Amino acid sequence: MGTRDSLIQVTDLKKHYHMGAIKALDGVTVDINRGDVMVVIGPSGSGKSTFLRSLNLLEEPTGGAIVFDGVDITKKKYKDAQGNMVKLDIDKLRQKMGMVFQHFNLFPHMTILENMALAPIKVKGMGKAEAEEKALTLLDRVGLKDRAGAYPIQLSGGQKQRVAIVRALAMEPEVMLFDEPTSALDPEMVGEVLDVMKGLAKEGMTMVVVTHEMGFAREVGNRVLFMADGMLLEQGTPDKIFGEPEHPRLKDFLAKVL
Amino acid sequence: MEQFIQLENFSKILPYAQLFKQGMLVTILLSLFTVVIGFCIALILALMRMSNVRPLRSLGLDQNGHLREGGFLAFVSKFNPLSFLATAYVEILRSTPVIVQIFIIYYGVFGLIKLPSFQMFGFIKFDRFFPGVVALGMNSGAYLCEIIRAGIQSIDGGQTEAARSLGLSQAQNLRYIILPQALKNILPAIANEFVVIIKESAITYTIGVQDIMSAVNAVKGATFVIVEPLLVATAVYFCLCFPTSKIIAYFERRMSHGDKR
């Protein structure tokens, strides 16, 4: 497996509402290393999604730190290598973090190809021809090259999610965040999406996956986090989490879902 | 016995056909300028209302630079002067009659600012026409603002999240993702507002704009015929409004390609 270097360090991450009456995240500390496939499990309302969405600041944390590529992204300003205070460029940051949503969130007024090429063209300044060629290569990889001219509504749920994954990949992110990517799918389509994710994991992509698919967590994940009540209660290898769970909440949770 | 419509009355008003033609041109020009001004005002207002400009934002951060969780300073830090101004504008314009607004603009504002008194196309009095356009444009801006805002807010939040997570800026998200979808959703409401503008422009005859209604009045004064000129005006307004809604319905169909399987 080789040595792994740390990509994201999360320290004591907090997200409180209403003067702390609601604690969506209550002090989560974890290191995400390059090449990790980190699976986050837990009952609903446990803060898994909030944790994931905090990583690219779709949720603004109210406390703690997220250090990504050496910069604490929870601060609006930071010191650069020369010691100057610079404003955090959130758009730059998000380019390096691909995100896949439960409800796909494809752009319905654009074809699949336009969906894929938009960000590379507008954000990275790539030429249209190059962006489209790259998009077609990626679509080919998930077996959807022939649907490039279709609109999202013409695709099945599984196809939409495969497009959403490669749309994020088109920006060549350093880490991919998956927010319950199979929860809105019909059962027979879950497999095709998980297969794409497995392929990504094999290629060494760093992934953080919030999911209810315990089979995927076991088979593909190299680390599993168990969250409840906004806290990280237990973490370890899949064998350890599923084989010898320690925390009573985890034992209780596994008894219900397995 | 008196009849509601007397055919010979039409021949009495026939010599004034030119007045109706000019009135129709004025109504068309008035509506077009109003729509353009109204739409520009509305877009700016809608963006102001949804903007995130918070000059007191730093009050909402604690010593470590994190967001405060609540309390007075957190509340104050959310104050957005742009949104406040836009909201005030919309509420005031929507809660007062158009005719009052037109009089205030004409007698008040343009009583102080003297406009050059020349005639466009040889018959449109600029110092009447311009205040009319300004007043109607400001009024429809308030209504169109609410339509545009509702359209933008009707787009699922997931669209913005997806766009921003791909690295698109707030402006790019608006330009490429939100506005194209919002515009399609609000076209029926915009068509309705355009038609309302054409009809509402009739009220500007009260400040001496020579539109169709003023032609009706002129003919009435000269011939003492009342109903027939009104019927002509009815026909003209219908011929302007009906095609407008049809044309917009056509664009609506053209933009709906993402909806069909």
Side-chain angles (χ1 to χ4, degrees), chain B residues 155-171:
Chain B
I155 305 301
D156 177 43
Q159 293 286 307
T160 296
E161 290 186 352
R164 298 305 302 275
S165 76
L166 284 167
L168 267 73
S169 69
Q170 207 173 345

Side-chain angles (χ1 to χ4, degrees), chain A residues 16 19-20 53 60 64 74-75 91 94 97 101 105-110 118 122-123 151 153 167 171, chain B residues 64 66-67 69-71 158-159 161-162 164-169 172 176-177 180-181 257-261:
Chain A
H16 291 183
M19 298 294 287
R53 291 159 56 83
E60 272 192 73
T74 62
K75 303 272 169 62
D91 301 329
R94 286 180 175 142
M97 296 182 161
F101 301 87
N105 296 349
L106 296 183
F107 307 132
H109 59 303
M110 296 180 180
L118 178 77
K122 299 300 175 193
V123 179
Y151 283 93
I153 198 161
R167 179 177 71 176
M171 291 300 284
Chain B
N64 299 321
H66 288 303
L67 279 178
E69 291 164 21
Q159 293 286 307
E161 290 186 352
R164 298 305 302 275
S165 76
L166 284 167
L168 267 73
S169 69
Q172 286 175 322
Y176 299 110
I177 308 300
Q181 295 184 59
H257 46 216
D259 305 343
K260 285 190 283 283
R261 277 175 191 275

Side-chain angles (χ1 to χ4, degrees), chain A residues 67-138:
Chain A
V67 178
F68 176 60
D69 274 353
V71 173
D72 182 358
I73 61 175
T74 62
K75 303 272 169 62
K76 305 277 176 213
K77 286 177 181 163
Y78 64 93
K79 272 202 178 83
D80 67 2
Q82 283 79 43
N84 304 318
M85 285 305 268
V86 250
K87 229 181 131 188
L88 182 77
D89 186 349
I90 191 151
D91 301 329
K92 261 253 150 40
L93 166 93
R94 286 180 175 142
Q95 291 173 42
K96 298 188 213 162
M97 296 182 161
M99 185 146 188
V100 175
F101 301 87
Q102 182 177 359
H103 296 288
F104 331 126
N105 296 349
L106 296 183
F107 307 132
H109 59 303
M110 296 180 180
T111 63
I112 300 309
L113 193 62
E114 287 166 345
N115 262 278
M116 304 233 358
L118 178 77
I121 292 173
K122 299 300 175 193
V123 179
K124 283 198 161 169
M126 198 183 276
K128 190 166 182 253
E130 190 193 348
E132 288 187 346
E133 195 192 312
K134 214 178 139 200
L136 286 172
T137 313
L138 280 165

